[in-house]
Amino acid sequence: IVIWFSGDEFGGFAGPGAAGETALGTWLDAGNCLFLSGQDYLYDRLGSGTTTPNSFMSTYLGLSTLAHDTGDYTSVTGAGTVFGTLGSMPLSYSPLSDYSDRITPNGTAEVAMVGNNTFNGAINRDSGVYKTTFWAFPWEAIASATNREAALGTFLNTCSSTFSVTPASTANVPPGTTVVHEFVLTNLDVTDSYTLTLTPGNWATTLLTPSPINVTGGSTATIQVQVQVPTTITPPSQMDEFFLTVQSANDPAEVEIVSGETQS
């Protein structure tokens, strides 16, 4: 894992440059993790008037849009599948300066930290091969050492996982439709067996893949979950969500929870 904290440095090298991004991309493609925290990485790399990320930012960080120096967070709260267990964490920029940004994830990433003003301060991405998280405010600004350690430790624990599960895409189908969601389980270690547990929503939901499922080291397996959309939907448009829990037999402490959404 590479951990890159740049505090409130700006005007030069608050994060990787062009050569650094190329090297990091190659390194991440080999199955590694990146924690990048820098409120002026976007400013220094793109320029003050740019709101569109470059290729590295969109591909490896999952960044869609950005707004420079407009974060103004006094606290942040963890969100998403990785940081969602973290509560509200007050920020204290002193002796730093506050030039935090607002950022939006694209379809390959998710929100990792939400500011007290509802702006997105951090995102994370799990490609199934590599994992990244980008914070547009300084990790060093988290006021409590305990909270700083918890936030960093949460990502480190994720990176040490021996398997990953790619979330299913959202399905939008007419009432009365039967839809099958597919998840891809990637075994990043030795051959293992995984227990699958389904937590359905309000609609009829069935785990089609037998549990447990055996996956050889370095291989992938597809997990299927079927949802039966009711023929009558009230109100006219609704969404139902289910959760799939995957647990390793080799290390029962390794658990991933992913969700699937069906709209009609």
Side-chain angles (χ1 to χ4, degrees):
I1 182 173
V2 165
I3 303 173
W4 196 314
F5 299 149
S6 62
D8 65 349
E9 197 284 334
F10 70 94
F13 303 98
E21 289 176 343
T22 299
L24 282 172
T26 301
W27 182 77
L28 286 168
D29 286 336
N32 292 298
C33 290
L34 172 66
F35 190 129
L36 175 58
S37 166
Q39 62 179 352
D40 277 303
Y41 163 51
L42 302 177
Y43 181 94
D44 284 356
R45 188 73 183 92
L46 302 174
S48 60
T50 304
T51 59
T52 303
N54 64 22
S55 177
F56 174 82
M57 298 168 186
S58 60
T59 301
Y60 290 98
L61 304 182
L63 182 60
S64 174
T65 59
L66 58 114
H68 296 287
D69 304 340
T70 56
D72 300 327
Y73 313 112
T74 59
S75 67
V76 292
T77 300
T81 58
V82 175
F83 296 97
T85 58
L86 299 177
S88 177
M89 299 180 290
L91 303 183
S92 175
Y93 288 88
S94 179
L96 306 175
S97 299
D98 178 8
Y99 292 105
S100 57
D101 301 328
R102 279 186 278 169
I103 56 178
T104 303
N106 58 30
T108 68
E110 65 176 1
V111 175
M113 295 284 172
V114 179
N116 57 291
N117 45 19
T118 72
F119 300 147
N120 301 326
I123 59 178
N124 62 272
R125 167 159 162 66
D126 182 350
S127 75
V129 175
Y130 57 81
K131 297 178 181 180
T132 63
T133 185
F134 170 56
W135 295 21
F137 65 93
W139 170 84
E140 300 93 326
I142 297 177
S144 162
T146 299
N147 286 341
R148 288 194 298 273
E149 293 171 2
L152 179 57
T154 296
F155 187 68
L156 292 176
N157 289 338
T158 298
C159 286
S160 66
S161 178
T162 61
F163 73 95
S164 66
V165 183
T166 302
S169 59
T170 298
N172 196 332
V173 296
T177 302
T178 298
V179 61
V180 175
H181 294 266
E182 291 192 342
F183 301 84
V184 178
L185 190 160
T186 302
N187 183 347
L188 304 173
D189 200 43
V190 298
T191 297
D192 200 351
S193 178
Y194 303 91
T195 299
L196 312 177
T197 304
L198 178 66
T199 303
N202 295 318
W203 297 345
T205 307
T206 306
L207 177 63
L208 300 181
T209 303
S211 175
I213 181 172
N214 297 317
V215 185
T216 58
S219 299
T220 63
T222 300
I223 302 170
Q224 294 185 322
V225 177
Q226 177 180 286
V227 177
Q228 177 64 55
V229 183
T231 55
T232 302
I233 302 293
T234 305
S237 179
Q238 279 194 355
M239 184 274 289
D240 194 62
E241 183 177 25
F242 66 86
F243 294 91
L244 175 69
T245 301
V246 182
Q247 183 177 34
S248 162
N250 289 346
D251 184 358
E254 287 201 39
V255 177
E256 285 210 23
I257 302 175
V258 289
S259 64
E261 293 183 358
T262 310
Q263 296 179 355
S264 184

